[in-house]
């Protein structure tokens, strides 16, 4: 009954705003490099906004809520849905949105991840912008086929006539201190293997707002992974204005000359602590936040490693087959003659995520600091 009501509301809205027609008639809808260049040119500069614009203190979940509210106000074709979303969601990221924008645009779905994503693909293929929430990344796996075989391939298999580029899938990932094996996983590497979908992981409230707005209006499907450990613990000044940050572009958080340190999402706070410990020992670290894992900013990392000669990659996910392996392989190929020490990965262990031993499992600041010392000890 609930899904029939949701579909009915969406179909009513589709008649009002004209979904269901390919934009530009039957013309192919590939996005050229010129269009992508214009999209990137329209991005606002976050440091400038922080210095000159009005800001507000936000944590991660309020920044995400603000981004969703802006998107819903900006474009009537944006819809937000998922389990308990109407009531704000389990982490309250959607709190107040239903009251502001109504049942037709912010609504609950049944507990059925493949149905949530499949519905989102249909909404996006019809020309609208679907923001689907998967309550925990650990439970995204029932929707795996919909994401990698349908959403990611829609444009390619139709020869550019149709696409699911209006789909953004939000999901919280990673350790939270008490989540155990079913509420702590970091499954990003499963999806970075798939051409046709972008994978984005923010590290802070200001980054999350800009990256989420960019993802919602990106012409490709996006998996937006939110570090739930930071929902309330990460607090900073966030511009009130609408702004976007470029997808596929990493950021040098701190410049350095001895070691390149690469991470993303919640791991960035861990790495900042490790870098501070290394600095006390006279080790100069260049800290890079990838922000987007698919596609990732190879040139930024390669340029840094050519300067420092050393690389450490850290992520919560298990080491074997983790995305750090892709980074390591690529940099080994591109920067072999610049490397002064073996590339090191500091990651989760190759076991299910433990409850009682979480502190031993996670790649904390001490483990990363130890890797930095080992790297510097190499000739």
């Amino acid at each position: 009954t609930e899904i029939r009501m949701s579909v009915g509301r969406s179909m009513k809205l589709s008649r009002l705003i004209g979904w269901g027609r390919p934009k530009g008639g039957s013309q192919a809808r590939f996005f050229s490099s010129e269009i992508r260049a214009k999209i990137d040119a329209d991005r606002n500069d976050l440091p400038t906004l922080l210095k000159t614009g009005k800001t507000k203190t936000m944590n991660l979940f309020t920044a995400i809520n603000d981004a969703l509210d802006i998107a819903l106000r900006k474009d009537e074709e944006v819809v937000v849905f998922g389990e308990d979303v109407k009531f704000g969601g389990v982490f309250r990221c959607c709190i107040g949105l239903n009251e502001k924008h109504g049942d037709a645009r912010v609504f609950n779905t049944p507990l059925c991840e493949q149905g949530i994503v499949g519905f989102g693909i249909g909404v996006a293929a019809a020309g609208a912008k679907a923001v689907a929430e998967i309550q925990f990344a650990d439970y995204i796996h029932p929707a795996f086929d919909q994401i990698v075989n349908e959403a990611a391939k829609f444009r390619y298999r139709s020869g550019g006539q149709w696409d699911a580029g209006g789909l953004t899938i939000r999901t919280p990932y990673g350790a939270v201190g008490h989540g155990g094996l079913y509420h702590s996983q970091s499954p990003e590497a499963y999806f970075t293997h798939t051409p046709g979908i972008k994978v984005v992981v923010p590290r802070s409230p200001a980054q999350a707002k800009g990256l989420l707005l960019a993802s919602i209006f990106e012409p490709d499907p996006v998996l937006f992974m939110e570090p739930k450990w930071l929902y309330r613990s990460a607090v900073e000044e966030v511009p009130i204005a609408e702004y976007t940050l470029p997808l596929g572009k990493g950021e040098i958080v701190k410049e350095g000359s001895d070691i390149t340190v690469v991470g993303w999402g919640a791991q960035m706070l861990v790495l900042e602590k490790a870098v501070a410990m290394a600095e006390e020992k006279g080790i100069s670290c260049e800290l890079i936040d990838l922000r987007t894992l698919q596609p990732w900013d190879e040139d930024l990392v390669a340029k840094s490693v050519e300067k420092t000669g050393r690389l450490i990659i850290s992520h919560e996910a298990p080491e074997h087959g983790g995305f750090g392996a892709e980074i390591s392989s690529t940099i080994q190929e591109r920067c072999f003659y610049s490397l002064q020490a073996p590339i090191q990965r500091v990651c989760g262990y190759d076991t299910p995520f433990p409850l009682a031993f979480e502190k031993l499992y996670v790649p904390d600041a001490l483990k990363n600091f130890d890797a930095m010392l080992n790297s510097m000890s190499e000739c």
Side-chain angles (χ1 to χ4, degrees), residues 21-345:
R21 298 186 298 272
K23 296 177 182 177
S26 60
Q27 307 253 335
R29 291 172 61 192
F30 289 113
F31 291 90
S32 66
S33 58
E34 290 79 10
I35 292 177
R36 291 195 179 278
K38 184 180 186 305
I39 290 172
D40 288 338
D42 289 340
R43 311 278 192 211
N44 291 308
D45 181 59
L46 179 56
T48 301
L49 281 173
L50 288 170
K51 290 179 182 178
T52 62
K54 292 183 178 180
T55 64
K56 182 179 179 180
T57 303
M58 299 184 191
N59 59 24
L60 190 73
F61 94 80
T62 53
I64 289 169
N65 180 271
D66 189 40
L68 292 171
D69 188 31
I70 289 173
L72 286 160
R73 286 189 279 112
K74 177 180 179 178
D75 191 336
E76 65 178 2
E77 293 190 357
V78 174
V79 291
V80 176
F81 52 90
E83 298 163 17
D84 301 320
V85 161
K86 179 178 179 179
F87 312 116
V90 68
F91 292 107
R92 318 311 288 163
C93 292
C94 297
I95 191 76
L97 298 180
N98 175 265
E99 289 84 351
K100 290 181 182 179
H101 304 285
D103 288 345
R105 302 187 63 205
V106 181
F107 51 88
N108 290 336
T109 66
L111 199 161
C112 179
E113 286 79 12
Q114 60 266 53
I116 293 169
V117 175
F119 178 74
I121 292 170
V123 169
K129 297 172 181 63
V131 184
E133 178 181 304
I134 301 298
Q135 201 166 82
F136 286 89
D138 309 64
Y139 297 108
I140 202 170
H141 302 103
F144 192 78
D145 180 66
Q146 290 289 333
I147 296 170
V148 305
N149 272 338
E150 303 300 336
K153 298 175 174 63
F154 214 115
R155 181 182 287 119
Y156 179 84
R157 73 174 186 170
S158 70
Q161 296 184 70
W162 303 93
D163 65 74
L167 174 64
T168 301
I169 303 166
R170 295 180 41 249
T171 190
Y173 83 95
V176 71
H178 53 265
L181 70 167
Y182 286 137
H183 295 84
S184 306
Q185 297 176 73
S186 300
E188 63 270 17
Y190 291 120
F191 300 98
T192 57
H193 188 67
T194 304
I197 187 167
K198 296 189 174 181
V199 180
V200 179
V201 192
R203 72 173 185 270
S204 70
Q207 292 286 318
K209 179 178 177 179
L211 290 169
L212 181 54
L213 281 168
S215 298
I216 293 171
F217 296 100
E218 166 69 23
D220 290 311
V222 177
L223 176 60
F224 191 85
M225 304 184 70
E226 301 164 4
K228 58 179 176 287
W229 173 47
L230 303 184
Y231 272 139
R232 286 169 175 78
S233 62
V235 180
E236 66 180 353
E237 291 299 305
V238 178
I240 296 174
E242 176 189 350
Y243 65 95
T244 58
L245 297 173
L247 305 185
K249 297 292 183 182
E251 180 183 23
I252 298 176
V253 177
K254 178 191 173 300
E255 294 187 350
S257 58
D258 294 329
I259 303 178
T260 299
V261 182
V262 174
W264 53 86
Q267 195 63 11
M268 291 303 298
L269 291 185
V270 174
L271 293 175
E272 286 177 3
K273 294 177 182 178
V275 165
M277 296 166 69
E279 295 283 340
E280 292 178 358
K281 297 294 183 180
I283 302 172
S284 176
C285 300
E286 182 143 293
L287 181 58
I288 295 178
D289 177 12
L290 285 185
R291 302 194 293 190
T292 303
L293 303 185
Q294 169 71 319
W296 66 284
D297 198 339
E298 297 180 22
D299 292 340
L300 180 69
V301 177
K303 183 177 180 181
S304 176
V305 173
E306 287 171 355
K307 176 177 68 174
T308 66
R310 293 175 170 85
L311 174 62
I312 292 173
I313 309 151
S314 186
H315 56 69
E316 277 186 23
E319 181 179 62
H320 185 81
F323 192 67
E326 172 63 25
I327 300 171
S328 177
S329 176
T330 300
I331 297 304
Q332 179 77 5
E333 292 172 0
R334 292 187 56 170
C335 305
F336 178 79
Y337 294 106
S338 298
L339 290 171
Q340 300 179 40
I343 296 171
Q344 295 194 47
R345 289 176 289 161

Side-chain angles (χ1 to χ4, degrees), residues 12-30:
K12 180 179 179 182
L13 181 62
S14 73
R15 289 192 291 271
L16 291 174
I17 60 180
W19 296 356
R21 298 186 298 272
K23 296 177 182 177
S26 60
Q27 307 253 335
R29 291 172 61 192
F30 289 113

